[in-house]
Amino acid sequence: MFASSLAASLLTSGAAWSQAQRTAAAPTPAAAPAPAQAAVAAPQAQPPRAPCMNADALGVGRTVEIDTTGGPGFGFEHFKDLDFLKDHEVVLTFDDGPWPENTPGVLKALADQCTTGIFFIIGKHATYYPEILKQVYNAGHTVGTHTWSHAALTNKKLTEDQRKEEIELGISAVKWALGGNSPAPFFRFPALQHPPEMVTYLGTRNVGIFSCDLDSFDFKARNAQAVIDVTFKKLDKLGKGIILMHDFHKHTAEALPEMLRRLKAGGYKVVAMRAKSPVQSLPQYDEQLAKVAKLPTVSQRPVSSVVTTVSE
């Protein structure tokens, strides 16, 4: 049943969001499935953020721990109850990764300013580029999920089981890509479309739901300056907020260094959001991922990171 419904969900996802661009950029996965034990590797503690060597960095103003019991919602675009940010505090969030070049560009900008964000990962993309996702995790950023294929969960052609599969396979895929380390129980719906029954479902799974306070609309921007202008026009009006960006987009990676400098100059502080405990993937979806997704069985790291000359 899982295989047939997964196939159906993948067929319907393209119409919901520019999947053609992603498919064109994505490599062809290896034919052989990953070993079954890959999805259940022993977890390890997430590395802390590196010590800051930049005295003028934006940094992190404070860190908050989130208890996601019952599925709390964050972001005034859709959820009004949890107003925890103080004036001139922001949370940086990035959707749709991981991807080559742009995600590493975002990571470098954050590292240069000794600050952090939440990355909402598409499960399928995690299986394409697990090493890039590990870079996100190992840099100490919070990793959440963003479904398996970015299907619109409001699509009436999807059954309730297929909607759950999109959520759960996304979690299992990110866990696999992180070598058995579970992501945070933080979830963002594609296109911020929240079907009520899936909001309820995430509550039963104790997964926090993220909307945003302001959208950078970087997916519409023609250049990096447009991303900066739109973001600060909204931020200066609101005075604080959860900012929605996409590490999938080139202009976002290009804009981020200047955005972070402007945040520092404007007296803004970045808030790091951490989960009290990681999400627990469901075994049936871990197994389904290994059978259906045809995950690579060998590392795709560059030669220089695999083979090192120790003597000549």
Side-chain angles (χ1 to χ4, degrees):
M1 180 184 76
F2 288 116
S4 61
S5 56
L6 172 60
S9 71
L10 296 181
L11 288 173
T12 57
S13 65
W17 185 72
S18 306
Q19 190 67 35
Q21 296 180 10
R22 300 166 187 272
T23 304
T28 302
Q37 65 269 25
V40 291
Q44 299 177 351
Q46 183 176 11
R49 292 190 300 270
C52 185
M53 306 305 292
N54 178 3
D56 295 322
L58 172 62
V60 175
R62 66 181 174 125
T63 300
V64 297
E65 182 179 90
I66 306 299
D67 183 343
T68 58
T69 302
F74 300 93
F76 267 43
E77 187 74 19
H78 293 89
F79 307 108
K80 312 295 186 183
D81 293 334
L82 298 174
D83 185 11
F84 71 96
L85 292 178
K86 303 173 185 176
D87 183 53
H88 274 63
E89 285 190 335
V90 297
V91 177
L92 307 175
T93 70
F94 303 90
D95 289 6
D96 299 353
W99 284 99
E101 297 184 10
N102 297 332
T103 300
V106 167
L107 291 176
K108 182 180 185 306
L110 295 172
D112 287 346
Q113 287 292 332
C114 304
T115 195
T116 192
I118 306 173
F119 288 75
F120 291 98
I121 303 298
I122 295 176
K124 184 184 281 190
H125 297 178
T127 68
Y128 294 155
Y129 304 111
E131 294 304 323
I132 296 177
L133 182 55
K134 288 186 178 75
Q135 292 175 26
V136 176
Y137 184 80
N138 290 336
H141 302 295
T142 298
V143 175
T145 59
H146 196 41
T147 71
W148 161 253
S149 70
H150 207 279
L153 300 190
T154 53
N155 187 339
K156 295 181 180 179
K157 293 182 180 180
L158 295 179
T159 66
E160 184 171 345
D161 283 345
Q162 288 168 341
R163 293 186 178 98
K164 290 178 181 179
E165 282 180 349
E166 278 287 327
I167 293 170
E168 297 295 350
L169 282 169
I171 293 171
S172 291
V174 170
K175 177 183 174 181
W176 173 84
L178 291 176
N181 293 304
S182 293
F186 293 172
F187 178 83
R188 181 173 272 157
F189 283 97
L192 300 181
Q193 296 177 341
H194 299 73
E197 64 277 13
M198 289 300 101
V199 171
T200 300
Y201 175 71
L202 288 166
T204 68
R205 292 281 281 118
N206 296 322
V207 172
I209 305 170
F210 280 72
S211 179
C212 68
D213 294 311
L214 62 102
D215 192 337
S216 69
F217 285 113
D218 53 358
F219 59 93
K220 294 183 178 180
R222 291 180 294 179
N223 53 49
Q225 189 61 48
V227 179
I228 296 169
D229 291 344
V230 169
T231 300
F232 277 91
K233 181 179 180 180
K234 296 178 179 180
L235 184 57
D236 290 342
K237 180 180 179 180
L238 294 174
K240 62 180 182 179
I242 297 172
I243 303 174
L244 170 56
M245 295 173 280
H246 298 79
D247 57 311
F248 170 65
H249 291 289
K250 175 183 178 182
H251 297 323
T252 303
E254 294 172 339
L256 197 58
E258 178 60 23
M259 289 180 65
L260 297 178
R261 285 191 289 268
R262 282 190 59 174
L263 286 172
K264 170 72 172 180
Y268 288 95
K269 305 290 186 181
V270 172
V271 174
M273 298 182 69
R274 300 286 184 258
K276 186 175 181 179
S277 58
V279 67
Q280 300 299 314
S281 64
L282 300 181
Q284 64 266 38
Y285 293 100
D286 292 340
E287 295 171 4
Q288 184 62 18
L289 178 76
K291 291 178 181 178
V292 176
K294 298 182 178 179
L295 300 173
T297 58
V298 296
S299 171
Q300 297 179 356
R301 289 184 294 150
V303 171
S304 60
S305 72
V306 178
V307 181
T308 302
T309 299
V310 294
S311 65
E312 290 185 332

